[in-house]
Amino acid sequence: MAKGHEMIPVTDPSGKTSSSSAMSRKGAYAAASYMACAVLLVMFNKAALSSYHFPCANVITLFQMVCSCLLLYAMRFWDIISFSAGETQSVSYNPATMVPHKTLLHTIPLAVSYLLYMLASMESIRGVNVPMYTTLRRTTVAFTMVVEYFLTRQRYSHPVVGSVGIIILGAFIAGARDLSFDSYGYTIVFMSNICTAVYLASIARIGKSSGLNSFGLMWCNGIICGPILLLWTSISGDLERTLKFPNLFSPGFQAVMALSCIMAFLINYCVFWNTMLNSALTQTVCGNLKDLFTIGLGWLMFGGLPFDLLNVVGQSLGFLGSCLYAYCKLQGR
């Protein structure tokens, strides 16, 4: 990707710089892009796992990773994109890794957290209905705040903490009448929340110190995690079960898989973009804001919780808390 022109701050009549305004707009674009991709990705993954009863969630993750690496390699090879902010299009690079080996080693903790995040997130979708999945996932904000504190000593203002508290309260109220309690499914979702928090905090910490942009971080994640996941799916027999899957060559299933891979590529980019431009907690709260659309589509397409007053109150509280958080960030709190 060709580098854009360097932004020169310009003071407006109120004394504020236009660069900070542009930065706010970029942050808003990043957040909106993530939310749109996230809604679609959950729908396509749920369709593959539930509607077509595909038995191997890890293979879907592997397909997404392979497609992402192929796209990144092709775009970098043809100088459409670069992997670091200060990289020129004519820079020489190692055709095997495309990034310095030292940088690749530096991103290993991020890649490991990414692999755990992907596997846990994919498995958590299978055993829980979409409305309850999004409800439980809202508690990720609490995990993110804790992980950010231990990794970066990040502290948040009282209004931000209060908005997060409202989000969590809404999640518990919304899920109070879930009669399809599944201890395994719930445990996997909470494990997914922890992995998500660690992954996002790792992006904020390692991503900014690595010198790589979003494409570069995605590339390192893919070439480190891809071989590990391929070995795992081979040993576990998932690849063999995939070859025997009756709907493997069904046009509908292949279309769902293709769209899932495209959305996975886009959402990975948006996660890096949003987290590095805003923060790990902002990225998590964006996931809560998009839940309103995910829940609506989930009810229509896959079924789920009965629509009752208690659930509406809980979902509304979660949405209110997310909006309050967004307001606090806009006010610089």
Side-chain angles (χ1 to χ4, degrees):
M1 177 181 293
K3 295 188 295 183
H5 297 295
E6 184 178 358
M7 184 178 297
I8 301 175
V10 179
T11 303
D12 62 16
S14 64
K16 298 181 181 180
T17 60
S18 62
S19 60
S20 61
S21 176
M23 203 65 175
S24 299
R25 288 197 297 271
K26 286 183 179 180
Y29 294 152
S33 299
Y34 161 75
M35 289 187 282
C37 293
V39 172
L40 293 175
L41 181 62
V42 171
M43 293 300 109
F44 292 135
N45 286 344
K46 187 66 176 178
L49 293 171
S50 298
S51 299
Y52 286 96
H53 304 288
F54 185 63
C56 306
N58 291 345
V59 174
I60 295 180
T61 305
L62 178 62
F63 284 163
Q64 292 172 347
M65 204 171 291
V66 170
C67 290
S68 177
C69 285
L70 290 175
L71 285 171
L72 288 170
Y73 185 91
M75 289 191 293
R76 179 63 188 90
F77 183 80
W78 289 321
D79 289 335
I80 299 174
I81 62 173
S82 64
F83 282 168
S84 64
E87 182 181 3
T88 62
Q89 298 298 327
S90 60
V91 70
S92 60
Y93 54 87
N94 187 329
T97 63
M98 291 194 172
V99 295
H101 291 96
K102 184 178 180 180
T103 302
L104 190 64
L105 292 174
H106 182 71
T107 61
I108 287 179
L110 176 62
V112 172
S113 65
Y114 167 72
L115 181 61
L116 294 175
Y117 154 73
M118 288 290 289
L119 295 178
S121 298
M122 185 63 68
E123 184 62 27
S124 65
I125 295 176
R126 180 198 301 276
V128 182
N129 56 61
V130 171
M132 182 50 57
Y133 169 78
T134 55
T135 297
L136 294 176
R137 287 288 282 167
R138 286 185 181 181
T139 61
T140 305
V141 292
F143 293 102
T144 302
M145 292 184 74
V146 172
V147 171
E148 277 195 306
Y149 174 76
F150 283 108
L151 289 183
T152 64
R153 297 299 175 183
Q154 174 69 51
R155 295 176 181 269
Y156 291 95
S157 64
H158 293 300
V160 169
V161 174
S163 65
V164 169
I166 294 175
I167 293 172
I168 296 174
L169 176 62
F172 281 109
I173 293 176
R177 292 188 181 179
D178 178 28
L179 302 180
S180 58
F181 180 82
D182 182 347
S183 59
Y184 172 78
Y186 280 32
T187 300
I188 293 297
V189 173
F190 282 117
M191 288 298 297
S192 176
N193 291 350
I194 296 173
C195 292
T196 301
V198 173
Y199 175 53
L200 295 178
S202 299
I203 292 176
R205 185 180 184 184
I206 298 175
K208 293 178 180 178
S209 64
S210 66
L212 298 174
N213 59 21
S214 299
F215 292 118
L217 292 171
M218 289 170 61
W219 171 254
C220 290
N221 280 350
I223 62 176
I224 292 174
C225 298
I228 298 174
L229 189 55
L230 177 61
L231 179 62
W232 172 253
T233 52
S234 300
I235 294 175
S236 64
D238 282 349
L239 289 180
E240 183 178 354
R241 283 193 291 271
T242 298
L243 293 176
K244 296 179 180 179
F245 181 59
N247 291 320
L248 182 62
F249 298 104
S250 166
F253 176 74
Q254 291 183 345
V256 167
M257 286 294 295
L259 291 170
S260 175
C261 290
I262 293 172
M263 285 299 108
F265 175 83
L266 293 176
I267 197 174
N268 282 335
Y269 174 77
C270 291
V271 166
F272 283 116
W273 185 27
N274 191 28
T275 303
M276 296 177 70
L277 201 58
N278 295 306
S279 70
L281 186 60
T282 299
Q283 165 62 31
T284 306
V285 174
C286 286
N288 295 327
L289 281 172
K290 57 84 178 172
D291 284 345
L292 180 65
F293 304 100
T294 305
I295 291 171
L297 288 175
W299 258 311
L300 293 174
M301 298 175 65
F302 306 111
L305 295 175
F307 189 84
D308 59 28
L309 181 60
L310 192 62
N311 190 270
V312 172
V313 171
Q315 301 294 354
S316 300
L317 278 175
F319 186 73
L320 174 63
S322 300
C323 292
L324 287 175
Y325 175 85
Y327 175 78
C328 290
K329 296 300 291 183
L330 288 174
Q331 295 297 314
R333 297 181 181 179

